[in-house]
Each structure stands twice: as structure tokens, then as C-alpha cells.
Amino acid sequence: MTELNATPQTGPLSGLRGRFLLLVIAIFLGVGSLAAVGFFRVSSQIINKLGANYAEQYANQTRARILAKVQRELVLTQKLVDSPLLLAWANDETNAGLKAQALSELESYRRLFADKSFFFAIDRSKNYYFNNAANEFAGRELQFQLDPNEPSLAWYFATMKFVESFDLHVDNSAQLGVTKVWVNAIVRGANNEKLGVAGTGIELQGFLRDIVRSNDPGVEVILVDENGFVQGHSDVALMEVNAQIRDEAKRKKIFDLIDAGVQREQLAALLLSPDHADNGRMTLQSNGVRRLGAISYMPELKWAAIVLVNPSQLTSLNTFRPILIVLAAALLATVLLVSWLLNRLVLKRLGRLSAHTQVIAKQTIATGQNLVPLSVDRPDEIGQLTQSFNHMTRTVGDYMLNLEQKVSDRTADLQHANAELAQSSRKIMDSIEYAKLIQNTLLPKAEEMQRCLGPHMLIWRPRDLVGGDFYALYPLGEDGFLLAVGDCTGHGVPGAFMTMAAKATLDRAVEAHGADQPAAVLSALHTGLRALLQTEAGSGTDNGLDLALVALLPGRKSVIFAGAKLELWALAPDAESISVSKGDRLGVGYQKTPLTAQFTQHTFQFAPDTRLFVTTDGLLDQNGGPRGIGLGKTALQQCLLAHRGASFSAQAAGLSAMLAAYQGNTAQRDDITLLGFAL
């Protein structure tokens, strides 16, 4: 009686509970890691979006502050240059009465300007009038004359030449010893001619302090004109140097502060855009630091405010740390709750079921001892499993009572079946051996092959004991012959039967048309096989063969070849490659080949000692090698070329060795036939 062993005890981590605990920990770590990666990625995107929005808002606020500070001065300046009294004085500067009235009006404007200063330059005399917030030059407002040869005064002549209405730019006046943001407006006469330039200035340090400098970390404000020249920057030294450069073309541009050439081109396109969208956002890299940029245009001033924000300084990931902690705690609480519920609802009940199985294993169920069923506490899946287990224990108890008798009965039945199977196997093998004997009788004997072909090579390897490949010889005159190499549908016993049918039909076709008419023989073979097989179209079966016929005429000077999907290879003594004569792309005996199909006949004159080869596709399709693919024509031809100077037996040995090495442990895929001979 067979003894049922108890269930082996499991370790703390090898059981279901331990594996589940490890799985929960792995899931928590994996999901937590993915959640952390996603959180940091989303947080970075949020920070970048906040930074971009902040830069845009800051740029708009900067524009508003500039316009509030500059626009009033610009309006007053335009009002000043439109004064009839000042226009009259510009046309008649030597008139003492006009001069006194004009200077008095300029003084009133000076008190209105935020900088408490004015300048008035008359182009006809090149006289430059100026007074400052301290009223330092009252009564002696004429300061100097504008000399076109003085580089520091180039701003005036450039303004007269290029500016049509007004202009704002930062400049250092060497004559006055001040650096300001100058508001320059053109003074025009009654005929719209340019009479001079007038305006005021805004002290640069105060302008930068109020507008450009930012107390917010990671924020930088840059003011540029429409050509990209820097007119305001938080770097005071840069602005001082820029203001003192007399050649404006050499002053710093915003593009000089950008690292990447592509970003410079993008920024230039935004600045030169004719429509000037309300805002332009882009990413810029300055001094090796990636920053988010926003542009706010001021068409009234022909300036633009560019705000660069470093997102890492504006808002760091530490800001989102409480959210990450809450998410991690929520994930951990979820995992712990699921683990507790699974342990209570599944694992503990499965453990109780497992313990009961060990009790059953220790009972002597072979004697039919009554087994105590396990109680079903819930009508769920585990409850159903418990009911099935109780049923199983009852069934096991019943079967164990008469197990030996059942085993004995089954063993006797199995032995009887094995004996019948062995007897059937012997009969099948005897039949296959006899079929092999019959198939071998259809093939030409070695003596006949030697007599007709002379020295030759033959590799004929059915995949099973019998196969679907065959070869045949038919004498033609005194020393001629017709050689046939065929590959029938299937292999094994079905293929062997096809070779018998094909060989018998081929014999009749050769007898009817002669061994020197391979093409006619192929056509007759096709019609004969179709009549013999009587396969109906659409029946699901279609049988036939591929065949090569090579006729060597008496005198052995001409070779006639006709093929159905098989080729004739020729290797001349002095050739560097094998020439291939293809057969027709039609099979013999198949339904898809028309019943009236005509095959092509080729006649060749080969040089003496030319070697001719015919092979079926079993050798070409044999898979192997490192990639497990078919051998192919190239490898076979290279092997034949490598042994071209050797005897046929040596050539066959080399080919067999190559095939064995390529095939390795791979099973033979199909029947293999290769036959070669020399002229």
C-alpha cells in the first residue's frame, strides 16, 4: 500500500505569506519609484510653466513701469517741440526778445520734467542749450556748439539724419559730464523741415534702480531697442561702458549675452517681427545658465523689455516636498491596508486549508478511515475551494480502498496496449523496409551509373527510410543517355509512392518520345500524371514533382536540357564561377500547371571536362549555421568551386563534410539529392 507523505514545511519567506510580503515590498518600491520620477517630472514642468508665466507678467509690469516713467516725459517733450514760440526762436535765434521768451518757456518745461532738466539744440547755429535740476546754468543756458568732428556729439547728427519723430537711448555726455536715458525729439518747422533736437533726460542710476534692477532672486530685466542694442541692464558697469562707446555699432547687443546661436536667431526674429505680438516666450541660455525668457514690446518707445527667469531660483522642488510626503504616506497606507485585508480574507483561510491537508496526509486514508470535513465559513471563492477540497478528500478515501486493484487492472491494460502497439510498429517497419527495397529497385544500379556517366558523384539521402527524391538513366544510342533527377511531393512513404508513380509514367513518356526530346518527355509526363492522379481542382490535395532531364547525345558533344523548377549547373575547367541554366517555372502533374503546358528545351556545347550538376531543393533548403537558415545556392556553389580540381569522390566527401558542419545537430529537413558528372 502506498504511503502518502505529509506536506513539507515552508520557511518564513518561501511560503505564500512570505512571497506575498516580498511582492508587496517590491510593488511599493517600484510604484513609489515610478511615482517619484513622475512627480519630479511633473513638478519640473509646473515650475517651468510658473517661471514662464512669471517672466511674462514681470515683463508686462516692467513695460508698464517704463511707460509710466517715460511716457509722461515723452508727451512733455513732444509738447515742447510743438511750441510756436520755440519754433519761432529756432528760426530767428538772434532775436533777443524771442530768446528771452523761449528760455523762459524752456525753464517752465524744466520744472515740469521729472529730471528737472532740458536741452535745446538749434541745427542752423549748432548751439546747444541746457539746464539741470540744480538750475546751475540759469542765465548761461548756452553750453557749447555741436561739432560734427567731435565723436562724443555723433548722437546729435545721427538723430538728425535717421530719427523722424523721437528717440530714446542711453548716452554719456562728455560735455555735460552726465550719463542719462535721453529723450530726443525732432524740432520741425512750418514746412516740416528739421530745425533741431530738444528734450530731457532721466538719470541712469535712478532709472536702473527703479526699472531694471530686481530684488527677486533669479530674475533679470534687460531693456533693448528695436535693433537689439542694450538700453537698460542690472549690470551698472555694462551700462556705463555702453554709454561711453561713441560708435553705436560697437555697443553691446542683447545677442552678445546669449550663448546659443539658434537662440540668438530666434530672439532676433521676435524683435524684428513686423506685427510684434503682445508677448514672446522662449528659452535662453546666458552665461551657461538656462533661463525662461519673456518679451514685452513698447511700440510707443520702440523698445522691448526682456525678462529672464531662472526657474530653479524662483521655485525649487523643495516647495513640493510636503505633497511628495503625503503621496508616499497615502501609497504606504494603501499597500498596508490591502496587505491586511488580503491576509485576513485569503492567506489565513488558505493557511487553515493547508494545515488540514497535512492532517489528512497523516491519516491512514488507505484503510478507508472517515475524514473530518473542513467547515465552510464564507460562500466565496475560497469557500467553494474548501467544498471542493472536502469532496476531493472523500473521493481520495474511496479510491485508496481499491487503489491496488485499479492499478493492477490499468497495468494489465497498458501492457496489452503496449504489446499491440509493438506488433503494429513491427508491421509498419516491415512494410516501410519492403517499400525501401521496392524503391531501390527502381533506381539505376551502380554499374549502370558508372557505365553511362563514367566518374561521377551521387548524394542521395531520403529524410526517412524512403523518400520522394529519385533519379533514373535511359540509354541513348551507343554512348548517349538521358539523366532524370526528380523531387516528388512529400517525403517518407507518401513520397515513395509518388516516386513509383512518377517513374512508371516517365518510362512510358521516354518510350513514346525518345530520350533525346526532354521537353516533349516533360509535357507527356505532365499529362500522364494528371490522368493517373485524377486530382480535382479545389479538393485540397495537389501532387506532382520537380524534374530535371539532361540528355547527352551520342558522341557526347551536345547536351540537351529541359527542367521543371530544377536547374542545370555547369562548371567549366577554366571558369571562375558556375553557370546556371534555369528550368521552366512550372511543376509537373500539378493542377496549377496548364494541361497543355509546353516546356523549354535548351541545347549546349560545353568544353571537355566540364562538370554538370543537378540538385533538388532539399540540399539548398537544409537549415543550420549560427542563424538557423537554409544553406542556399551560394554556399553550395562555393563548396563545389573549392573542390573543382579534386576527384568526384573527394568533391562529394568535401560537400558531405561541409553539409554536416553546417547542419550540426539540426534534423534533416527534406530529401536530399545531388548528382554530378563530367563530359
Side-chain angles (χ1 to χ4, degrees), residues 294-344:
I295 303 174
S296 185
Y297 299 99
M298 293 171 279
E300 306 91 337
L301 308 180
K302 298 182 181 180
W303 277 16
I306 300 176
V307 175
L308 302 180
V309 174
N310 187 343
S312 61
Q313 294 184 10
L314 185 65
T315 303
S316 66
L317 288 174
N318 291 331
T319 306
F320 300 94
R321 183 178 298 173
I323 300 176
L324 182 61
I325 294 174
V326 171
L327 289 177
L331 178 60
L332 179 60
T334 302
V335 169
L336 293 177
L337 180 60
V338 170
S339 302
W340 178 79
L341 291 175
L342 189 62
N343 180 68
R344 178 179 177 84

Side-chain angles (χ1 to χ4, degrees), residues 601-638:
Q601 187 163 286
H602 309 272
T603 303
F604 304 102
Q605 298 286 337
F606 292 114
D609 296 327
T610 297
R611 294 188 176 188
L612 302 180
F613 301 93
V614 178
T615 180
T616 61
D617 59 4
L619 182 57
L620 303 177
D621 294 341
Q622 177 58 49
N623 54 321
R627 294 189 294 170
I629 60 176
L631 178 66
K633 292 182 182 180
T634 302
L636 179 56
Q637 290 180 356
Q638 288 177 350

Side-chain angles (χ1 to χ4, degrees), residues 190-230:
N191 297 322
N192 205 32
E193 73 276 12
K194 295 181 179 180
L195 301 180
V197 179
T200 185
I202 302 174
E203 192 267 325
L204 180 62
Q205 293 288 348
F207 183 79
L208 296 179
R209 181 179 62 253
D210 297 339
I211 302 298
V212 178
R213 293 182 190 174
S214 171
N215 295 324
D216 297 329
V219 178
E220 184 176 6
V221 181
I222 304 174
L223 303 180
V224 298
D225 61 17
E226 59 184 351
N227 296 316
F229 287 103
V230 177

Side-chain angles (χ1 to χ4, degrees), residues 361-417:
K362 294 177 181 180
Q363 293 179 354
T364 56
I365 59 177
T367 62
Q369 178 180 348
N370 292 329
L371 302 175
V372 178
L374 192 64
S375 62
V376 179
D377 54 356
R378 287 188 180 91
D380 54 10
E381 287 80 0
I382 297 182
Q384 296 173 9
L385 176 62
T386 304
Q387 289 179 341
S388 300
F389 179 77
N390 291 334
H391 176 72
M392 180 197 69
T393 57
R394 289 192 297 269
T395 304
V396 169
D398 294 339
Y399 273 102
M400 289 298 292
L401 291 175
N402 55 1
L403 179 60
E404 288 187 356
Q405 182 61 40
K406 289 185 178 181
V407 170
S408 178
D409 294 342
R410 296 293 185 269
T411 301
D413 293 341
L414 183 60
Q415 289 175 347
H416 179 69

Side-chain angles (χ1 to χ4, degrees), residues 547-624:
L547 185 66
L549 295 177
V550 183
L552 203 62
L553 299 180
R556 297 187 179 236
K557 294 184 179 180
S558 297
V559 176
I560 303 176
F561 166 69
K565 291 190 175 181
L566 293 185
E567 303 172 345
L568 175 65
W569 294 0
L571 176 57
D574 55 348
E576 297 297 328
S577 61
I578 294 177
S579 64
V580 178
S581 300
K582 295 183 177 295
D584 292 299
R585 300 176 63 86
L586 299 173
V588 176
Y590 293 105
Q591 286 290 331
K592 59 184 176 182
T593 302
L595 190 61
T596 58
Q598 298 295 319
F599 293 87
T600 307
Q601 187 163 286
H602 309 272
T603 303
F604 304 102
Q605 298 286 337
F606 292 114
D609 296 327
T610 297
R611 294 188 176 188
L612 302 180
F613 301 93
V614 178
T615 180
T616 61
D617 59 4
L619 182 57
L620 303 177
D621 294 341
Q622 177 58 49
N623 54 321

